[in-house]
Amino acid sequence: MTVRERIEETEERILAPYAARAALSAGRARPEEPCSVRTDYQRDVDRIVHSKAFRRLKHKTQVFLQPEGDHYRTRMTHTLEVSRIARTIARALRLNEDLTEAASLGHDLGHTPFGHAGEQALDELCPGGFRHNEQSLRVVELLENNGQGLNLTYEVRRGILCHTGDETAETLEGQIIRYADRIAYINHDIDDAMRAGIITKEDLPGEIVRVLGGSHRERINTLVTDLIRQSAEGTGLRMTPEVAAAMEALREFMFERVYRNPRAKGEEAKAKDALKRLFDYYVRYPEKLSEDYRLSLETEGLERTVCDYIAGMTDTYAVQKFNDAFVPAWWHVK
């Protein structure tokens, strides 16, 4: 018996009856020989963590554009927080932690530079619109690995795609990502907004504090433990109505006070304009695309390829390319 087979046997014994089992995965688009020491879901975790798209998340905006200070979240730290919350929930419900971890680590691989401002800009420009969850799926299915994709399992791909939007993942593990993502971003965005002086602890509505707690730790603990208690029977994921309503009210508070706050978002109009100008530039001069993207022009089309290229940029790389295209360089003698 291989190490992988022992792990799969352990999964059969200890996981809940309704949990996903790696041995019963619907598989990959391109069949592969199984690994001797890792299950298919464990291999997917490794493929995502070792991908270029994952490494780029450390230089992509979460909420604040290039904040001064080392303690603000990036898209990378957000992803790691989602992963930890998701695994805690999966472990408590006796679900498959490896599947949960893979989907959570991959859920934002398709996010643009400059956060949701970048997503809005590309949504106006790309044929058929742009949604970061769909782009995340496109990254793992097509764009990574020199156009070969990561060839992830069906269940991981569905968890990535369905973490937002109208579709629901078939597995409970995939469904956890939607909850973990919202729990993470609402609460760490509060933390960052307080650090930035956009809001104070006293600004949080009293009824929300009464239900969820007044501190970062208390709010996350309330949301996670309530979800676990209400979902313990395996018939679906849910929260008590009171806690679910408080979380939604907290999200609405963040939209009103932070996500649409001119002080916090004052530079986003510039960011959107920069991406729009870059899009027009590369459509006009496709020879300026990097070589690996130029290779996909024939199969993917010009505008789709330009969209993929810009979506994959980090904040700093997008600024660099904007400067290269539109800011005159100082002349010097060679």
Side-chain angles (χ1 to χ4, degrees):
M1 182 178 288
T2 66
V3 174
R4 171 185 54 78
E5 289 170 335
R6 287 204 303 270
I7 296 172
E8 292 172 347
E9 184 182 72
T10 301
E11 285 185 354
E12 187 59 39
R13 285 189 290 104
I14 69 172
L15 294 184
Y18 38 82
R21 271 107 171 124
L24 300 179
S25 170
R28 308 180 187 279
R30 300 187 301 276
E32 300 179 13
E33 285 295 318
C35 177
S36 62
V37 297
R38 294 169 299 165
T39 70
D40 282 347
Y41 299 149
Q42 290 172 335
R43 292 181 84 181
D44 286 355
V45 170
D46 292 342
R47 291 179 183 191
I48 291 169
V49 169
H50 287 94
S51 69
K52 291 185 293 184
F54 185 79
R55 293 195 294 274
R56 291 196 298 267
L57 294 177
K58 67 181 178 179
H59 294 302
K60 292 196 175 193
T61 291
Q62 175 60 27
V63 173
F64 298 98
L65 299 180
Q66 294 293 309
E68 294 181 0
D70 295 331
H71 299 141
Y72 290 92
R73 270 74 172 188
T74 65
R75 192 63 58 179
M76 170 75 80
T77 56
H78 161 72
T79 295
L80 296 177
E81 291 183 29
V82 172
S83 176
R84 294 311 308 163
I85 290 172
R87 286 196 65 171
T88 295
I89 297 167
R91 185 183 303 118
L93 297 177
R94 292 169 54 216
L95 300 175
N96 196 304
E97 290 184 53
D98 295 322
L99 169 55
T100 305
E101 182 178 26
S104 58
L105 291 175
H107 83 281
D108 266 357
L109 291 180
H111 236 302
T112 62
F114 310 130
H116 287 285
E119 182 173 16
Q120 292 166 8
L122 291 186
D123 189 41
E124 298 172 11
L125 298 166
C126 291
F130 182 94
R131 287 157 289 276
H132 76 270
N133 58 317
E134 295 175 1
Q135 188 70 12
S136 295
L137 185 64
R138 186 172 172 83
V139 167
V140 301
E141 289 189 338
L142 176 66
L143 300 179
E144 271 292 320
N145 194 25
N146 298 317
Q148 298 300 307
L150 301 180
N151 199 30
L152 304 181
T153 56
Y154 173 81
E155 295 80 11
V156 172
R157 301 198 311 269
R158 289 290 292 171
I160 290 172
L161 175 66
C162 300
H163 82 270
T164 188
D166 297 330
E167 293 191 59
T168 301
E170 293 86 343
T171 63
L172 289 173
E173 290 86 351
Q175 294 170 31
I176 285 174
I177 312 306
R178 184 183 294 259
Y179 280 92
D181 182 39
R182 184 164 291 193
I183 291 170
Y185 80 69
I186 291 174
N187 286 285
H188 65 50
D189 291 352
I190 290 173
D191 191 40
D192 280 356
M194 288 182 178
R195 180 173 293 107
I198 303 298
I199 59 174
T200 67
K201 185 176 181 179
E202 289 70 31
D203 291 328
L204 298 178
E207 181 61 18
I208 294 176
V209 171
R210 182 190 68 79
V211 175
L212 301 182
S215 70
H216 181 77
R217 178 187 63 82
E218 290 170 340
R219 287 190 299 272
I220 291 180
N221 185 68
T222 298
L223 291 165
V224 170
T225 55
D226 185 78
L227 177 63
I228 290 169
R229 291 192 187 103
Q230 298 304 311
S231 309
E233 300 303 318
T235 56
L237 300 179
R238 61 180 63 86
M239 293 176 171
T240 57
E242 183 181 39
V243 170
M247 183 170 74
E248 183 58 31
L250 188 56
R251 182 171 178 268
E252 292 174 1
F253 167 82
M254 288 298 291
F255 270 95
E256 178 184 348
R257 296 294 299 273
V258 178
Y259 301 144
R260 300 192 185 105
N261 186 316
R263 182 181 166 199
K265 299 296 185 176
E267 296 297 299
E268 286 194 350
K270 297 179 185 178
K272 292 174 69 174
D273 181 66
L275 293 192
K276 290 178 179 180
R277 292 182 66 185
L278 275 177
F279 186 90
D280 292 340
Y281 176 79
Y282 287 116
V283 167
R284 186 176 180 183
Y285 303 108
E287 68 274 11
K288 299 293 186 179
L289 293 166
S290 65
E291 182 180 0
D292 49 342
Y293 283 91
R294 291 200 303 272
L295 294 174
S296 66
L297 284 170
E298 187 172 329
T299 56
E300 301 302 315
L302 176 57
E303 291 182 330
R304 181 69 252 185
T305 299
V306 171
C307 184
D308 288 336
Y309 183 46
I310 293 176
M313 292 180 178
T314 62
D315 296 11
T316 50
Y317 189 71
V319 170
Q320 176 189 323
K321 288 300 173 182
F322 181 88
N323 287 338
D324 290 346
F326 300 108
V327 178
W330 296 115
W331 183 86
H332 62 278
V333 177
K334 296 184 180 179

